């Protein structure tokens, strides 16, 4: 599930292909994957595979169950069985509207309906994004999904371009590090699919090398970003979001901990404040989350998902609280002082108790 959620939130896919085993039909994992895809507003089409292993009556029963799930209020889409190439052409056109969910019945062993599915995939086109995201004049932002190191090119960062375009020798900022700072770097080389290129644009994945920055004293990690200096990036440890609980066994309140996914950010966080005492399944609330391990770069307006066991939900980031290392240091010093004071008090009480014991023992001997 962690890999699935990361792929959905990090790479912003145009379409979701949900493959279901005809022998088993709808499973618990199937519902979870479908639920997260619907929550993010992604376009979905379903493949019922291994139809060569089941009878026609069994296949009809399982497909009917899928259609009922698709038509339910949680999905609210119109299922469409694709049997011919003409159906595949219409399904590809209707899928962009988001109101139709095509269903294919295939067999990889016998090749049943594989030609229809191939034609459907060839007809599909990437969803057009709005002008703001496609405008190449937007300031670039690159989210880091993996980190490599080689002696000759130096540090290599792979990920996805979230906005604008990145060129070789661009001056950028990399971070956030533990201190909440971003350090200046220079993009030295760029590769896409292991082929050198001069520029990468919005929505494209790539790997960039940044050499050996002199002022980098901390290790690179997944979840960092490369941004243009004019964006004035700010790291945060707390952020406010409006959340919707998809499922929780009881109620969700202050102190609830979960794994939060925001783009390429994946970290445990805890609710420190909320505008209600508690919320249950299918309820909304404004809450303040606090990352438990390190600072992150989060943009207001970003979609978030959170999960913990069977509990899961989604939301949107409203605002962030800029990370202040001095404030964190003062809190740490206060905590250390309180701990030291508590230890001194315990020692004092223990000493007084021992003195009483020795005093009582001496009286008995007398």
């Amino acid at each position: 599930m962690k890999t699935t959620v990361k792929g959905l939130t990090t790479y912003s896919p145009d379409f979701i292909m949900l493959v279901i085993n005809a022998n088993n039909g709808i499973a618990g994992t199937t519902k979870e994957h479908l639920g997260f895809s619907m929550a993010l507003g992604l376009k979905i089409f379903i493949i019922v595979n291994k139809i060569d292993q089941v009878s026609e009556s069994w296949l009809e029963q399982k497909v009917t169950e899928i259609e009922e799930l698709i038509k339910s209020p949680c999905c609210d889409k119109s299922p469409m069985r694709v049997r011919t190439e003409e159906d595949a052409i219409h399904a590809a056109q209707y899928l962009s509207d988001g109101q139709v969910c095509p269903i294919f019945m295939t067999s990889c062993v016998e090749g049943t309906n594989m030609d229809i599915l191939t034609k459907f995939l060839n007809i599909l086109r990437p969803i057009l994004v709005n002008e703001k995201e496609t405008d190449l004049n937007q300031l670039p932002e690159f989210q880091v999904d993996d980190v490599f190191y080689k002696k000759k090119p130096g540090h290599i960062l792979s990920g996805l371009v979230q906005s604008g375009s990145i060129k070789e020798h661009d001056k950028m900022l990399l971070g956030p590090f533990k201190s909440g700072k971003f350090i200046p770097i220079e993009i030295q080389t760029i590769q896409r699919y292991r082929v050198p290129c001069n520029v990468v644009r919005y929505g494209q994945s790539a790997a960039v090398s940044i050499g050996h920055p002199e002022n980098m004293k901390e290790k690179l990690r997944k979840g960092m970003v490369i941004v243009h200096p004019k964006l004035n990036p700010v790291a945060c440890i707390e952020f406010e979001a409006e959340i919707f609980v998809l499922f929780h066994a009881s109620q969700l309140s202050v102190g609830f901990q979960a794994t939060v996914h925001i783009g390429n950010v994946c970290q445990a966080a805890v609710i420190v404040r909320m505008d209600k005492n508690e919320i249950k399944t299918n309820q909304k609330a404004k809450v303040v989350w606090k990352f438990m391990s390190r600072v992150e770069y989060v943009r207001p307006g970003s979609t978030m998902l959170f999960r913990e066991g069977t509990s899961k939900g989604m939301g949107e980031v409203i605002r962030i609280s800029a990370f202040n290392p001095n404030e964190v240091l003062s809190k740490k010093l206060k905590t250390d002082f309180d701990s030291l004071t508590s230890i001194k008090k315990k020692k004092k009480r223990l000493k007084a108790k021992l003195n009483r014991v020795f005093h009582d023992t001496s009286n008995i001997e007398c």
Side-chain angles (χ1 to χ4, degrees), residues 12 41 47-48 62 95 165-166 179 188 197 216 228 312:
S12 303
I47 311 295
V48 182
K62 295 304 175 183
L95 183 59
S165 61
I166 298 178
S179 60
Q188 296 188 355
C197 58
M216 188 176 66
H228 195 276
K312 48 186 174 288

Side-chain angles (χ1 to χ4, degrees), residues 337-354:
F337 178 76
D338 292 342
S339 300
L340 183 60
T341 305
S342 177
I343 292 172
K344 287 182 178 179
K345 288 181 179 179
K346 288 181 179 178
K347 285 184 177 180
K348 190 174 181 179
R349 287 196 298 267
L350 180 60
K351 187 176 180 180
K353 188 175 181 180
L354 290 174

Side-chain angles (χ1 to χ4, degrees), residues 197-213:
C197 58
N198 297 323
V199 60
V200 286
R201 297 177 174 83
Y202 166 79
Q204 295 180 341
S205 58
V208 300
S209 65
I210 61 174
H212 304 81

